[in-house]
Amino acid sequence: MKKIILIAIFILFEKANCQINFRFDTNSFILGLMDDYNGRTVAFESKESASYIGSTKPELSRMFSDSICKVYKISKSEITEKQNSFFNEKIATQINNFYLKYLDEGMDYYNEKTQQSYKVHKLILDEHKFIYNYQKLSFLAGIFYNFGKLDNGEVIFKTANSSNFNTAVHFISDLGFNYCERAKKEYNIPTVQEVTFVPSEEYIDFFKTLEKKRINGW
C-alpha cells in the first residue's frame, strides 16, 4: 500500500508542475523525509555508524525504505532496520555525500562491542547540491510528510531541533513562495521551529493532496 502511495506522489508531482522537463527527485525527497532531530552525526571509523542511512517516524518507515530501494535499486533484504533506523554502508556513503562534514571536537562515539571510541563528525546538508527547483520542491515534499500540514491554503512546518528546518526555509524563499509567518523559534527544550507559507498556484493542489494523505494516515 505504501509503495502505491509513493508511486502516486511521483505522478502527482509531474501533473502539478507546468515547467518543461520537470522530474521528481527521490534523493531529495528521502533527505527531507529523514528525522534529523539534533542533527546528523557520524563516526566514519566505526563500521556501524558509517553504515547509518537515516531514521524516520514509525508511520513513515515503510515509505522511507521503499524510496531507498527505488533510488539505489536494491532489495529490502540488503538494508538492516533497527527501531526505524536504517543501515547499509554503501548507501550511507552516498547519502553522506549530500552533507558538509565538520569534526566535532567535543564528542566521541563509543562502541560497547569493541570497547573503542571514535571521532565524530557533524553533518550539515550542502544546499549547493540542490541545484534545480525540482530538487528543492522534492525536498519540501519530504519535509511535509515529516512535520508539515495544510491549513486553509497555508502550509505549516513545525518541528524541533531540526537542521533540515533551516534548509526548508531557504528553499521556500528560493521557490518564491509567499510567507504568512516567517521562521520563528521558541527557545525552550527542545527548541520549537515553525514557519507558515503559501505555495504558488501551480503547486497548491500538490500540497492539498499531501494533506489528504496525511489526514488519512498516509
Side-chain angles (χ1 to χ4, degrees), residues 68-132:
I68 291 290
C69 291
K70 174 182 172 61
V71 171
Y72 297 100
K73 298 179 173 57
I74 64 170
S75 66
K76 289 188 178 181
S77 62
E78 297 176 75
I79 301 174
T80 301
E81 181 180 356
K82 300 176 183 178
Q83 298 179 331
N84 304 309
S85 293
F86 298 84
F87 299 84
N88 176 288
E89 189 170 6
K90 182 178 179 180
I91 296 173
T93 298
Q94 296 184 63
I95 291 289
N96 289 334
N97 286 334
F98 286 90
Y99 291 81
L100 299 171
K101 305 169 182 65
Y102 303 92
L103 181 63
D104 190 336
E105 299 285 358
M107 181 183 293
D108 285 329
Y109 171 78
Y110 181 73
N111 188 313
E112 293 183 355
K113 293 181 180 178
T114 62
Q115 295 186 343
Q116 287 183 288
S117 293
Y118 302 92
K119 292 295 183 181
V120 171
H121 283 76
K122 183 177 180 63
L123 276 61
I124 299 176
L125 269 178
D126 184 357
E127 295 180 13
H128 293 97
K129 298 283 187 179
F130 300 80
I131 301 171
Y132 304 105

Side-chain angles (χ1 to χ4, degrees), residues 2 15 43 50 53 55-56 80 83 93 109 113 125 144 150 167 175 177 179-180 187 196 210-211 213:
K2 299 291 184 182
K15 290 183 177 179
I53 299 171
S55 302
T56 62
T80 301
Q83 298 179 331
T93 298
Y109 171 78
K113 293 181 180 178
L125 269 178
F144 188 94
L150 185 69
T167 299
L175 291 166
F177 295 160
Y179 285 105
C180 301
Y187 290 99
T196 304
L210 286 185
E211 175 64 9
K213 295 185 181 301

